[in-house]
Structures are given as structure tokens and as C-alpha cells.
Amino acid sequence: MDKILTNVNRAERLRKSTQTQYDLIVIGGGITGAGIALDATLRGIKTLLIEKKDFASGTSSKSTKLIHGGLRYLKQFEFGIVRETGLERAVAHNNIPHLVHPEKMLLPIVKKGSFSKWSASLAISVYDRLAAVREKDRKKVLSRSEALESEPILNPQLLKSAIAYSEYRTDDARLTIETIKAACREGAEAFNYLELDSFLYHNEKIVGVKCLDHTTKGFLLFKCTQVVSAAGPWVDKLRDIDGSKKGDTLHLTKGVHIVVPHEKLPVKSAVYFDAFDSRMLFAIPRGKITYIGTSDTNFTKDMNRILCTKKDAQYIIDKVNRMFEMPDLKLEDIISTWAGLRPLISAEGKSNSELSRKDEIFESPSNLISIAGGKLTGFRKMAERVVDLIIEKNDTFPEKESLTKKYKIHSDSFVNYEAYQSLKSSLTEKYKSRGISSYDVWYLLTTFGKHAISIIENALLSDLPLEQALMQEEIQYSIKFESSLEPDDYFNRRSGRIYFDIASVKNNLDFILSQFKDAFSWDQEKLTASKAACQSLIDDVSVIKD
Ligand code: FAD
């Protein structure tokens, strides 16, 4: 069972890990930690990754899910970030084609908006050039009537023209999990539900970590040469534990997204639109739904329960109702939400949206290296920088260059995007007479890659109703090969169903729970507690609180 990400034999794997001398321990199973674990392992560095809850349960499942250069950062003259993340888009698309999809964006130019046609056109030309966008995908300026033809629900009273340009869309949690799976395939070890409690020191230098195993409530010690904290919004907490929180600190801001059925906001493609308060929002169609976000407000509350409040949701709804000409969207139309924290590096006198999205590395006297800030899109380059640094600091680590630029993250990767599209068409055709919809094929293929085929084939042999048969296969896969331990791991971060198809979770909750009960031999008490936890999570995302 080595070389896969699983909890099936967790106790034995943990025992082995406590007896291993690691080169590197990475704290935090978000995209930053995942990228570092993969880069380091590919360079021959013996790596352990630990995550206190589930992989991607922090910011890395709460983003706008775009692989983008960040057009708006041009306004802040952050050319470096735009160029780096812009160039990384094509790298991510090539390295995991079924998870990073080209997405046409529309930027409406509106009366009293942030951009004039000329400023937007110039900015996007710079953007396209910085990101080396191919000629055929470069921006197009649309007249008012062309813009209305391409997006008929835009408010004609406001619209002056529009610019069409290219970005990529992903699933942040799946990208994180696939990256951790790849690190494990290359020899890393990774555990979720294992929380750093404190550091172990020798001569005032960190030589290991003490962790709380949330599955047993016991403490375990792990030894290593180097620790990297990729704890996202929690980076300062860990610097505090190490007694090294000095200089720049994190400033946390909350960003929310709301989800409505696609027919309530039937955008044909993603729209990047003005909020008329110096912010810009995205409305992004995805399967059965459209999601819209995001806000940017200061956050100082409980970091483990971040909610979209009525005020957050109303802010987004008001902006939608101004930009689109449709029957007004209402709070009651919202079927799901998510809210995440941006770990920004604080700077006096700057507003939230002006704070840099650049990543920053902190080095402590005890040899703790922490990385925070940055973007999902830039994760590979961030990882490369961190691993370069730890190699420089540790003479015993192999001196190898990063190998991730041309590394296929999925074990059974599509050679390119055309291969993904071609399989999607042939599977849709093959299974349509057997009750598998084109949505099912698209969802399974974009979520699980080519493994979608065995999920479908096995489900078609089952006596269960088709929806449950498919879910059963997904759940079993997520338990055996993706370390799911709780139903929420599956319906949230392995499948995204809680956001993009919440009805399927609500309607099948008992079935999902029964799958976990059987797989992990839960007793009645554990089943009851898990059901209550799931209901409370579903309530948190779907019932908007004050
Ligand atoms: P996290 O994902 O938060 O991971 C840190 C992990 O550390 C967490 O899982 C946490 O549980 C774990 N941890 C904390 N303490 C401990 C401990 N003691 N022991 C063990 N584990 C611990 N970027 C883009 O490129 N595109 C976008 O569209 C985009 N949209 C965004 C929208 C919003 C609203 C927000 C908030 C951010 C967005 N970003 C986007 C930025 C991007 O999401 C983040 O840069 C990225 O997800 C940060 O990942 P991370 O791994 O650093 O942090």
C-alpha cells in the first residue's frame, strides 16, 4: 500500500513515520504545502506532509477556482505577480489538463465603471503579452451589440462595450488533492487529521514536531532536518508557537461566494464585472449552477468556522442585480455558499483590495521556514522557491533543480486537452442510452480524470439506483485512494458536490453516511455524531445567517 494517499492502514503508516528520520516536514495540506511536498520529493528530499483537518480544508477549497494572472493587479502595477501567475496558467493546463480548463471571460465596460474601453483594452493587451497568451486566444474588443449578443442578460442601460479574453478554471480542492497524491506516488508520506501541536528543539534549532492525531486523540513525535510551515491563514499561529512572530504579520480578509441554480443567473460564459466600489466580481457558470464572488472584508473571528453572512450575500446580490437584467436575484435563491480567508501580508495605510497578493517567506532563528500569501495559480513557482531555499540551507539535501514544470500531476494523465475533450465526447455518446447524462460524464471526468470510466462501469453493474451507485464508487475511491475519513471529506473536497450539486448530498446523506460506517466499522455513537456534524455543515453553507 506504499506510494498512495490512503488512511486504510493509517495506524501502521503513522507508526512507520514516527520511526523515520525525514529531511522535510511540511505543515499544511493546502495547495502551498502540496506543491512543496511534490517539488521536494521529486528532488529526492524525504518528505512528510501533515494537515490538521482535511487536505484543502483551508483557503484551498474556498477560492474563486480560477487559474489566472489577476488582471486587477495591473492596476496596482504588480507586473511581477501578473507575469509569473500569467505564465503559470499554461503550465498548470499542460500538467493536469482535465482539471485546468480554458475559460472565456467577458469584461463588460459600463457607465461610471472602473475601466474605460481604452484602459481595459490596454491593460488586457499588457496582460496577454505578460502571460504569453497565444495569438488566437488574445483579447477581443466587442461593441455594445456584440457584447449583448454574447451575454444577453447584461444590463443594457449600463453597457457600453465589452472585452473578451482568456483565463483558466479549475477545482482548487481537487488540484490540491491530486498534487498530494502525486507527491505520495513519488515517495512522500501525507496524513490528514494530524495537527502540529509544538516543535521539538535541539540547541534551539527545530529537529521535529509533536502532533495531535485527531483520530485517536493521541500525540505523536516525528523527526526531521527541516520544517516548512505552509499553514496559510494559520502561519502566524505557528510562528507564535515557535516564538518567532516578528516583523511583517498576516492580515486576514474574508472572501465569500454564493451559488445559485444556473437558470437564476444563466450567464453563457464567465463575466468579470464592476461592483462600482473599486472591486470587481466574477459570475462563473459551472454545470448546474452559477457561482458569484467575491467580497473582501477584514476578518478577526473564529478561523475554523468561516461563514457567508446575510450582509456578505446581500452585497453580492445587489451587485448582480445592478449588472444583469434578470428577475431580481434574492437571498432565497442561494443554494450554497463558501467563505475563505486570504492570508495577506499587512501594510500600513492600504485598503484590503490594495494589499499585495505576493507570497512572502519568513525565516526564524530556530530554522522554521514559513510561506504565506500568494495565489493558487502560482503554487508551483512558490514551491520551487521554497525548495531552492531549503536546499541552499541544508548541505545534506540533494542539489537538484525543480522538476515540476513538465511533470504530469495525474497518474493516468491526458496527453493534452484535446485528448480530454475527445474522451468526454466519446463517453457521452457511449453511455447516453444507459442513463448516464452528459452532466454526469463532464462532472466525473473533470473530477476524477480517466478513473471516471471505472466509476461508471462499476456503477452500471450495481443494483442501486444510478445516482447512489455512482456515489458509492466515488466514495470507495475517495476512501481507498484519497484518504477520505469523514463524509464531508467526500462531499466537500473530493467531489465538490456540496457546492455544485447540494441536492445530491441532502437527498443521499444517510446513504453516504452508511458507506463510511461500513468502511470504517463505525458504532452507532460515531454514526450519530457524524450525521450531526454533516447536518451542521450543510446548514452552514446553505442557510444564510445574520
Ligand atoms: P490553505 O489552503 O489555507 O492551507 C493551509 C493549511 O494548513 C490548512 O488546510 C490548515 O488546516 C493547515 N494547518 C493550519 N494549522 C495547522 C497545524 N497546526 N497543523 C497542521 N495543519 C495546519 N488564487 C487563485 O490563484 N485563483 C483564484 O481564483 C483565487 N481566488 C481566491 C478567492 C478567495 C475568496 C480567497 C480567500 C483566495 C483566493 N485565491 C485565489 C488565493 C488562493 O486560494 C490561496 O492563495 C491558496 O489557496 C492558499 O493556499 P495555502 O495552502 O497557502 O493555504
Side-chain angles (χ1 to χ4, degrees), residues 28 30-32 51-52 59-60 63-64 66 196 231 233 342 374 376-377:
I31 191 66
T32 309
E51 162 55 50
K52 69 173 176 159
T59 308
S60 299
S63 77
T64 309
L66 289 174
L196 173 110
R342 298 179 184 84
L376 179 81
T377 310

Side-chain angles (χ1 to χ4, degrees), residues 171-338:
D171 184 294
D172 44 10
R174 286 293 326 171
L175 185 61
T176 305
I177 295 193
E178 292 295 358
T179 306
I180 298 174
K181 283 164 69 179
C184 291
R185 190 169 72 234
E186 299 296 340
E189 184 59 278
F191 295 103
N192 48 0
Y193 298 100
L194 190 63
E195 176 164 7
L196 173 110
D197 173 76
S198 51
F199 297 101
L200 310 175
Y201 298 87
H202 179 70
N203 291 339
E204 297 179 2
K205 301 284 178 204
I206 295 177
V207 291
V209 292
K210 178 178 173 190
C211 295
L212 171 64
D213 179 0
H214 284 282
T215 66
T216 60
K217 308 290 174 226
F219 285 94
L220 297 166
L221 307 183
F222 302 89
K223 294 169 286 179
C224 66
T225 310
Q226 177 70 59
V227 175
V228 169
S229 161
W234 293 266
V235 151
D236 274 355
K237 289 207 170 202
L238 267 64
R239 290 167 80 206
D240 238 351
I241 295 176
D242 177 49
S244 58
K245 197 175 113 189
K246 294 190 185 82
D248 285 349
T249 53
L250 296 189
H251 175 84
L252 302 182
T253 74
K254 181 172 81 162
V256 309
H257 290 82
I258 61 169
V259 180
V260 297
H262 185 249
E263 61 274 17
K264 293 281 176 190
L265 190 65
V267 280
K268 291 208 243 166
S269 68
V271 181
Y272 184 43
F273 65 98
D274 237 287
F276 298 101
D277 58 6
S278 86
R279 285 198 55 71
M280 300 288 293
L281 301 187
F282 290 99
I284 302 180
R286 181 175 170 137
K288 300 174 180 178
I289 59 99
T290 301
Y291 66 92
I292 314 134
T294 172
S295 55
D296 197 359
T297 50
N298 289 335
F299 184 84
T300 49
K301 294 186 180 150
D302 176 6
M303 289 170 67
N304 293 313
R305 187 161 176 250
I306 311 148
L307 302 180
C308 169
T309 63
K310 215 172 244 176
K311 194 170 162 201
D312 298 326
Q314 194 61 54
Y315 167 83
I316 294 177
I317 283 183
D318 290 345
K319 305 302 174 191
V320 167
N321 287 340
R322 185 161 178 191
M323 186 55 62
F324 296 95
E325 199 183 53
M326 283 283 297
D328 270 358
L329 208 58
K330 300 184 190 59
L331 281 174
E332 303 81 81
D333 295 324
I334 297 175
I335 49 174
S336 189
T337 61
W338 66 88

Side-chain angles (χ1 to χ4, degrees), residues 248-251 344-352 354-356:
D248 285 349
T249 53
L250 296 189
H251 175 84
L344 305 178
I345 315 297
S346 60
E348 255 175 53
K350 290 204 170 171
S351 71
N352 291 344
E354 283 169 345
L355 285 179
S356 174

